[in-house]
Amino acid sequence: MNVGIVDQIARAVLYEGYMLYPYRSSSVKNKQRWNFGVLYPPAYAEAQSGADASMSQTECLVAGAVIPALEVRVRFLQLVERSIGKFATAARDLPDGGGTGFNLVERLEIDGKAFQPGQEAVEREISLHLLYGDSLTLEPTLRQFSFPAGTQVEMLRSQDGSIHGVIVREHKELNIGVEFVAHSHGSDLFRVTVRTKNLTPFAMADQVSRDQALASSLLSAHVVLGAKTGKFISLLEPPEDLKTQVAACNNIGTWPVLVGNADEKDTLLSSPIILYDYPQIAPESAGDLFDGTEIDEILSLRIMTLTEDEKREMRESDDKTRQILERTEALPPEQLMKLHGVVRALRPLKEEAS
């Protein structure tokens, strides 16, 4: 497995649509974020009459192993609510009350840098190592995991070291189930099923908004499967003798593709967005732009044309979008030119039949 390539692609999937150009929270396209791979609490999903999912399913084929050994990684983002608090009087040390004596504000500026409330996300991962086929063929196995609720408080200091305010980051508890089973399909062929389930309890599901439900959801959820023994079969271009078995694979909310170096068949990425086998990040790319369906050059040029007011809002929206702006503004001309007119491969044109 080429770990570098796999991690690059998985990260691109994780942050696809995190914040889209023009990278400002006030823009229409960023009013409703987190649109890919969302697994809502089951009570909320049921209240939406099936329009939203609480479970995804990956099914694939593993060939060439009497007893396949698998590694399963479930990766997703968890929503974090960011609040800004301001102390009435700046202090050199932490105010009495352990940082609780502040008022929530919509904007706080310190030494020319602005802070405002918003939504962030934290990366989560569940790893299951070496799942053997002989123990999976009898009944589905469900393993449950929990991420407890938490609150983090970050002090906001001016250049002279005095404390003016705080950033409060809060996330809710998440309960997740990962279910897996493998069924034998003849000699040295297994169909593997992995289900990712949001098991988080959720009260008054029929009376809350989508934004409230997102706080108890898995965002950009996807699965990475690694075969320690055996090889995955491409679901996009399967061998002729396995097309029937591939067609019987039932993938729900996911799109499994081979990842890594071309022709390697030991890693499968089950993505909430449609990909092709062996997707790659352009080597000329300077970093994440959160929109794998766009062209880096176009996005970079658009960022460069933003007004100063638009750039200010971009800086204040989110640390990750601020990093995009700073990285793009620092691009040297030669790096930008590398994004322009790249040819990946050439192939001869088919001759017209005479």
Side-chain angles (χ1 to χ4, degrees):
M1 178 197 305
N2 189 319
V3 176
I5 293 178
V6 174
D7 286 347
Q8 276 188 326
I9 299 301
R11 181 176 177 81
V13 169
L14 192 65
Y15 285 100
E16 177 74 16
Y18 177 90
M19 178 76 81
L20 297 173
Y21 176 86
Y23 300 114
R24 303 194 311 275
S25 55
S26 63
S27 67
V28 174
K29 66 173 66 175
N30 289 317
K31 288 294 186 182
Q32 179 170 306
R33 301 168 67 189
W34 327 110
N35 295 311
F36 301 101
V38 179
L39 299 181
Y40 295 92
Y44 178 81
E46 291 171 7
Q48 306 310 305
S49 303
D52 296 302
S54 63
M55 181 273 293
S56 67
Q57 175 173 295
T58 297
E59 278 196 342
C60 59
L61 299 178
V62 182
V66 177
I67 303 177
L70 303 177
E71 177 184 24
V72 180
R73 287 192 294 156
V74 178
R75 305 175 74 248
F76 59 93
L77 295 175
Q78 181 177 6
L79 186 65
V80 175
E81 293 288 352
R82 182 183 69 239
S83 302
I84 305 298
K86 180 182 179 181
F87 291 112
T89 304
R92 298 292 298 180
D93 299 314
L94 188 68
D96 294 338
T100 58
F102 54 79
N103 295 317
L104 295 179
V105 295
E106 289 302 313
R107 191 172 188 273
L108 176 61
E109 186 169 330
I110 303 174
D111 294 335
K113 185 176 181 180
F115 303 88
Q116 58 186 22
Q119 293 181 336
E120 302 176 1
V122 61
E123 297 180 19
R124 301 295 193 196
E125 181 173 310
I126 296 170
S127 294
L128 304 172
H129 297 282
L130 297 179
L131 308 178
Y132 289 95
D134 60 344
S135 65
L136 302 179
T137 54
L138 298 178
E139 294 291 339
T141 299
L142 176 67
R143 295 189 183 177
Q144 298 188 45
F145 305 85
S146 179
F147 293 89
T151 301
Q152 295 81 39
V153 178
E154 176 186 345
M155 297 296 136
L156 295 177
R157 298 177 181 270
S158 59
Q159 292 179 358
D160 65 6
S162 59
I163 302 170
H164 292 256
V166 293
I167 300 177
V168 181
R169 294 181 173 92
E170 299 177 280
H171 62 269
K172 295 185 178 297
E173 179 182 7
L174 284 181
N175 296 310
I176 299 125
V178 181
E179 185 179 84
F180 44 86
V181 63
H183 295 288
S184 177
H185 280 250
S187 177
D188 300 345
L189 181 68
F190 282 80
R191 185 178 79 239
V192 175
T193 304
V194 178
R195 299 184 184 95
T196 304
K197 301 180 177 182
N198 187 343
L199 303 178
T200 307
F202 197 72
M204 303 177 68
D206 58 342
Q207 302 177 35
V208 301
S209 67
R210 176 181 183 269
D211 281 345
Q212 291 172 299
L214 285 174
S216 299
S217 300
L218 283 64
L219 314 174
S220 300
H222 60 278
V223 175
V224 179
L225 296 173
K228 301 298 183 180
T229 60
K231 296 181 178 180
F232 291 109
I233 302 300
S234 171
L235 301 186
L236 300 181
E237 298 182 7
E240 193 66 34
D241 60 336
L242 293 179
K243 285 188 174 180
T244 299
Q245 292 92 326
V246 165
C249 290
N250 182 24
N251 286 284
I252 303 172
T254 61
W255 188 267
V257 297
L258 297 168
V259 289
N261 292 321
D263 299 327
E264 289 182 341
K265 294 180 172 60
D266 60 352
T267 311
L268 198 76
L269 169 63
S270 190
S271 163
I273 59 177
I274 296 176
L275 298 172
Y276 48 87
D277 281 340
Y278 306 112
Q280 293 186 15
I281 301 297
E284 299 83 10
S285 177
D288 295 332
L289 289 169
F290 307 150
D291 194 345
T293 60
E294 261 288 11
I295 299 172
D296 283 18
E297 181 188 23
I298 293 175
L299 287 174
S300 298
L301 291 173
R302 285 175 173 173
I303 292 169
M304 291 176 177
T305 62
L306 293 175
T307 66
E308 288 306 314
D309 285 343
E310 290 171 332
K311 289 180 180 180
R312 177 185 54 77
E313 186 181 348
M314 184 175 174
R315 287 190 186 93
E316 297 176 5
S317 294
D318 185 276
D319 279 346
K320 289 185 171 61
T321 56
R322 175 181 54 78
Q323 291 166 9
I324 289 177
L325 177 60
E326 292 175 351
R327 187 176 64 238
T328 303
E329 290 185 322
L331 274 179
E334 57 270 21
Q335 178 67 30
L336 188 60
M337 287 303 297
K338 288 182 180 179
L339 300 174
H340 180 67
V342 176
V343 177
R344 298 291 177 209
L346 296 173
R347 62 178 180 176
L349 294 174
K350 293 182 179 180
E351 295 183 1
E352 294 184 4
S354 56

